[in-house]
């Protein structure tokens, strides 16, 4: 998959660019995916706190949206990521 160089125009730290590319690869045609922070961290070989900071960077830049998913019992299931741009 090829990525537009526009991602670099946002002036984001490399952690955010890496996580954005990861989510974009996972998102598919619907531009949605729901990997856990633990999975993202393990796959990219970075810490979970770095992933959280990257997700915050991306959300502030308007490149992703996050939505908490809930189980029918009311418990937290996962986070749905919508990739924009």
């Amino acid at each position: 998959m090829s990525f537009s160089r526009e991602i670099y125009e946002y002036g984001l730290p490399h952690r955010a660019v890496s996580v954005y590319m990861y989510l974009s690869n996972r998102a598919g045609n619907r531009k949605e995916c729901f990997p856990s922070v633990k999975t993202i961290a393990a796959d990219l070989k970075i810490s979970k706190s770095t992933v959280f900071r990257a997700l915050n960077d991306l959300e502030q830049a308007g490149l992703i949206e996050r939505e908490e998913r809930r189980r029918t019992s009311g418990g937290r299931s996962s986070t749905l990521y919508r990739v924009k741009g």
Side-chain angles (χ1 to χ4, degrees):
M1 173 178 263
S2 65
F3 291 95
S4 172
R5 295 197 51 81
E6 292 175 16
I7 186 71
Y8 300 110
E9 294 175 12
Y10 287 89
L12 295 167
H14 68 277
R15 65 178 179 244
V17 173
S18 297
V19 171
Y20 180 78
M21 290 183 175
Y22 178 87
L23 293 175
S24 295
N25 268 338
R26 297 281 304 258
N29 293 337
R30 296 190 64 205
K31 298 197 175 207
E32 295 179 344
C33 59
F34 45 93
S36 69
V37 169
K38 182 179 177 180
T39 298
I40 297 169
D43 287 350
L44 294 177
K45 295 178 179 33
I46 58 178
S47 71
K48 291 190 298 186
S49 62
T50 299
V51 173
F52 281 118
R53 287 194 306 270
L55 292 169
N56 288 334
D57 294 337
L58 293 169
E59 193 168 45
Q60 288 176 355
L63 292 171
I64 65 166
E65 287 181 359
R66 291 187 272 190
E67 179 183 322
E68 279 194 8
R69 295 167 20 125
R70 298 275 177 186
R71 300 183 194 285
T72 54
S73 62
R76 189 174 183 284
S77 170
S78 63
T79 301
L80 175 69
Y81 301 100
R82 287 190 188 92
V83 178
K84 300 177 158 205

